[in-house]
Structure formats: C-alpha cells, structure tokens
Amino acid sequence: MSATNAGRAASAMSAAKVELEADKCVASGQCVVAAVQVFDQDDDGIAILLEEHPAPEHLDDVREAVAVCPAAAIRLVER
Amino acid sequence: MNRIVVVGASAAGLAAVETLRREGYEGTLTLVGDEPHLPYDRPPLSKQILASEWEEDRLWLRSAGDLVTLGLDLRLGVSATGLDVAGRNVRLADGSELPYDGLILATGVRPRRLPGEGAHVLRTLEGALTLRERLEPGRHLVVVGAGFLGAEAAAVAWRLGARVTLLEPAAVPLAHAVGEEVGRVLSRAHLDRGVRLRCGVTVTEVTEDGVRLGDGEIVEADEVLVAVGSVPNTDWLAGSGLAVGDGVVCDEYLEAAQGVYAAGDVARWYNPLFGTSMRIEHRTNAAEQGMAAARNLLNPDARKPFAPVPYFWSDQYDMRVQAYGFLRGHDEVAVVEGDLAARRFVAAYRTGDRVSGALAVGMPPKAIRLWRQAIVAGAAWGDHGRVPA
C-alpha cells in the first residue's frame, strides 16, 4: 500500500464527525480561515461543510474552527 | 502547573478553559463567572433575542454535557473581588480564596451608564429580556448612542413596530469607527424607515419622562436604551499590582504579570501586526484571544505574539456590515467595489502607507476575504486603495 493509499484509508476510518448548524451561522467566514479544506461559504456568506468526516490531519484545524466560530455553530463529535 | 484559575465565564473564558484541556493540561481548572448562567453568547442579545426570533436556550455556547467533559471547578454567580499577584491568589465575593499557578483574566466590560434611573442597557440576557418585554408596537423607544449596538437595537425595535428615536453626540454616527462617508451611508438606513436620528446632541441624564439633553430639552420616551459604550471590568484589580489603563495592560503575548494573562474585551495588548496597543470588544476576538492566552500560559518557552486581524459584524435592518482590520485612526477610506449609495460595497482603509482594514456591506464573502489577506500581509496601499498585484 502506498503512503497515499494509507492516508486515504486512515481518512476513511476517521470517526470524527463535523456538525454545522447553518441557521446559526453569522457568515463571519472564520471557519474558512481556520480550516479551508473543510469549510466554504455560499454567496450570502453562510458556511458550507465540505467534509463531514475530515481527514485526521485536518482535525486540529476543525477544532480551531469550532473554537473561533462566533456563533458556536460548529461541533466536532469525536469517538 | 497544577492550579489554573480563569476569571470570566463568557466567550473568552470558555475558549481559554477549552484550549487548556485540549493542550493537555490536567490539573485543577477553576472557571469563575459573576452571572448565574452557563457561558452564553452576547451578539444575539441585540439581534435574535431582542427580536424574539430565538428563545434563550439557543444562546448557550456549550451544552451542560460538554462542560462536564472539561472537568471544571465551576464557580458561577460569584464575582472576583481581589487579586494578589505576589501571593498568587484570587479572592471571591463569597469569601473563598483561589490560590493559582496560572491565571487568565477575562472579566469583560460593563455598559457605561448615564445619571438617572430606569434606563435599559444591553449586555446581559436579563437586560435583553427586560427590554424585549417592553417593546410593543407604538411605544416610543429612545436609544442614546447610535453606535453598532444602538443601531442594531433601533433596527429590531423598528421591526417590532415601536417608534424609535436615536440620539447621537457625534455629527455622524460611527464616524470615529468607520469614517464619515461610510457612517453617513449606514445611518441613512435609519432615516429610510422613519427612525428619527438626531446627531450632535448630548444626553445629560435619564428622567422619569425620557431623557434630558445638554440644552435642557426633554425628549419624551416610553423606554430608554443607553448604548454609549463600555467600561472594562478592572475595578477589582485595584491594588493588585497589575497595570490597568482602559483594560488590563498586556504585552504582545497577552501577559500582564508573570503567570497572569488577559483575554477578551478586558485585555489591552500590543498587536504587532498593527504596531499598536489595542483593546477589542469583538466576539471573534474574545475566542481567539482566550485560546492564545491559554496556549501562552501553558507553553512559556514557546509563546507566540497575539497578532490577529480583528473582525466584527453587525446586522441592521436588511444590512449585514462586516469589517476586518483596525479601522480606528485611519488616514483614508476608498470604496473599492460596489456602490456606496446602494449600500452594497467594499470600502478599504489606509493607515500610513498600508492597508489597515476593509468594511463590506451586502457583498459576497470572497469580496472581503481578499482584503483580509492584504491586511494580514501588511500590503502596501495602491492607487485608489487597490492592492497592487
């Protein structure tokens, strides 16, 4: 198994799940600044979840996004 | 380090305790809050809560379960009354003493008030609920101060059918914060809806019938909301040995004394990105600064300067205002996209020879995100505010 495949397998096994309450979002875009691989914004600025189960190497960025979200609209459920 | 005390249980204090645990701190962690509530969010108070769009259960920043997971020694409904920096000890109003190895101060601000009784202020959940009960169609609300908080409350009250009058001491609302041109454009949103706006008037006191102006005139009101800024909660630090001057004075690492850090609205620190000391009352700053203070406290040998690009937003009527950077004291404003009169635009701010801020109304997020990057990079100011490629 190549290193890339091993990485993918690890991503697939990531049990952590991101939950986004879009109706609480205030369109600050802080989540995109913190974790650009996991979040984007629509044209009104409302956050969009790109990866419900982010790769393990992105989890620290997601934790940062959870912490800086000014609307407390993001949760990271880790098992 | 085995005993850390965080004073202040709002956004900054919560971010601090969460970060401490996330970074592996396993010792005693005491979180002190003077309000009886679990940590809750304040920006919705002048928006969704005042408008009755949300009930209060949506304000909690974390569930009770999430907080239990943090393993806190939680002291709510009790204020801190004294600090002994040399003896490393915090005193609480209930007489208890909290010796500490590390301390984070996140006691926030309180609303500035006017002489006289009976006026509302908007800072706490109770304050927002009390005002909302009184906002009925046809009632006359006088808002003293047409800053962001006053403007938001006026917009909500108008939508609820109240008659609204804004009284503002400056000639143009928000001019000191966003510049005269932008301030004037934003204030037109009030006039368009029939909200009265009187500028250049000083309110000297709250009376039984309303408010008294500097020239003696009484402006009658059913309810009065005072929104004339805030005062940092530092009184309890008198005699502590900490430097206090419009906030707890910190260095670029957010340290106020050895092992004592500050975060959130109460912290005045040196921001190396802008080369100036600042104190920021923004929701996003509270979280970022709480995290940074926690990390620096835990890792004294790997401290990082706290050098953020401040961000705030404000909802007024159908407008969403968003701003990045440090706009205060700017030298020039240029509209770089959109149309000022249509209230859909991006304005860029110059301080010295560099881009120091950007403010957008009704524009897609990508339009302003580029400007954030320019501010982070300390980009030079190009012709008419355009950032050189």
Side-chain angles (χ1 to χ4, degrees):
Chain A
M1 189 184 273
S2 74
T4 318
N5 281 341
R8 270 195 210 118
S11 306
M13 284 186 290
S14 158
K17 186 184 172 207
V18 184
E19 294 176 353
L20 172 70
E21 281 183 81
D23 64 333
K24 275 183 129 181
C25 176
V26 297
S28 75
Q30 299 296 102
C31 55
V32 184
V33 173
V36 72
Q37 295 88 356
V38 181
F39 299 98
D40 198 358
Q41 290 171 279
D42 70 15
D43 280 350
D44 293 327
I46 301 303
I48 301 168
L49 188 56
L50 301 176
E51 292 286 347
E52 194 176 6
H53 297 282
E57 64 267 30
H58 294 152
L59 287 182
D60 271 345
D61 291 346
V62 174
R63 289 184 195 105
E64 187 91 6
V66 170
V68 298
C69 172
I74 307 167
R75 270 172 61 98
L76 180 64
V77 184
E78 298 181 74
R79 287 188 245 309
Chain B
M1 202 170 301
N2 221 354
R3 297 169 301 182
I4 296 181
V5 172
V6 176
V7 185
S10 198
L14 176 67
V17 296
E18 285 191 333
T19 304
L20 289 166
R21 287 303 191 212
R22 190 147 33 98
E23 300 270 314
Y25 171 71
E26 291 178 346
T28 305
L29 184 51
T30 305
L31 180 64
V32 180
D34 63 349
E35 293 185 71
H37 308 293
L38 294 178
Y40 67 92
D41 207 12
R42 297 189 197 280
L45 295 177
S46 56
K47 305 177 180 77
Q48 294 91 342
I49 292 293
L50 194 59
S52 297
E53 288 168 2
W54 287 9
E55 284 312 315
E56 58 191 78
D57 59 351
R58 295 200 64 174
L59 283 185
W60 311 126
L61 288 169
R62 298 293 180 268
S63 69
D66 288 341
L67 291 170
V68 168
T69 315
L70 291 172
L72 301 174
D73 166 22
L74 195 56
R75 312 284 184 102
L76 295 178
V78 57
S79 52
T81 52
L83 168 64
D84 175 359
V85 170
R88 299 195 160 226
N89 189 63
V90 172
R91 225 171 21 256
L92 301 186
D94 62 7
S96 51
E97 309 256 336
L98 299 171
Y100 64 83
D101 306 317
L103 173 66
I104 296 178
L105 304 171
T107 46
V109 295
R110 62 182 180 277
R112 189 171 286 133
R113 293 171 187 266
L114 292 173
E117 301 289 314
H120 300 270
V121 290
L122 259 179
R123 177 72 189 173
T124 62
L125 174 58
E126 285 74 16
L129 294 178
T130 307
L131 176 58
R132 136 175 151 181
E133 275 172 30
R134 308 279 182 85
L135 283 182
E136 285 169 17
R139 283 176 77 83
H140 185 205
L141 172 70
V142 165
V143 181
V144 185
F148 284 108
L149 184 70
E152 289 188 355
V156 169
W158 169 82
R159 205 160 77 229
L160 295 174
R163 288 187 298 126
V164 184
T165 302
L166 277 159
L167 302 176
E168 166 62 38
V172 177
L174 292 168
H176 67 288
V178 301
E180 282 205 5
E181 208 180 358
V182 172
R184 202 171 289 121
V185 161
L186 295 179
S187 69
R188 272 191 210 122
H190 301 298
L191 307 175
D192 286 356
R193 285 152 177 100
V195 167
R196 286 190 73 198
L197 171 64
R198 291 179 64 180
C199 294
V201 291
T202 316
V203 175
T204 55
E205 65 170 325
V206 179
T207 69
E208 256 180 46
D209 307 317
V211 297
R212 188 188 311 277
L213 304 185
D215 63 3
E217 179 190 342
I218 299 279
V219 178
E220 292 192 358
D222 296 314
E223 304 295 334
V224 176
L225 169 64
V226 175
V228 293
S230 312
V231 186
N233 287 323
T234 53
D235 300 357
W236 68 287
L237 299 172
S240 67
L242 291 186
V244 169
D246 185 37
V248 176
V249 178
C250 307
D251 62 15
E252 70 264 43
Y253 301 103
L254 306 175
E255 194 178 54
Q258 207 192 356
V260 180
Y261 288 77
D265 295 2
V266 80
R268 167 166 291 282
W269 91 106
Y270 178 80
N271 184 336
L273 182 60
F274 296 89
T276 185
S277 148
M278 53 179 74
R279 188 176 68 77
I280 301 277
E281 296 178 6
H282 300 162
R283 173 63 179 83
T284 47
N285 184 67
E288 292 173 3
Q289 208 165 17
M291 293 165 67
R295 285 177 181 146
N296 283 346
L297 171 63
L298 271 192
N299 308 296
D301 298 329
R303 300 194 304 173
K304 290 188 185 143
F306 183 60
V309 174
Y311 166 82
F312 72 87
W313 83 99
S314 175
D315 297 331
Q316 302 169 29
Y317 308 103
D318 56 353
M319 290 190 297
R320 165 152 294 166
V321 183
Q322 294 186 289
Y324 281 108
F326 192 63
L327 281 49
R328 266 165 210 261
H330 60 265
D331 297 308
E332 185 183 347
V333 187
V335 175
V336 290
E337 233 186 296
D339 178 3
L340 210 54
R343 294 199 287 263
R344 286 181 62 84
F345 63 90
V346 179
Y349 291 75
R350 172 178 72 81
T351 304
D353 57 4
R354 58 179 274 187
V355 180
S356 56
L359 179 146
V361 178
M363 297 294 283
K366 276 154 197 134
I368 190 167
R369 229 187 277 155
L370 287 172
W371 286 95
R372 182 188 185 280
Q373 289 161 11
I375 299 162
V376 172
W381 182 264
D383 291 341
H384 309 295
R386 286 192 199 287
V387 177

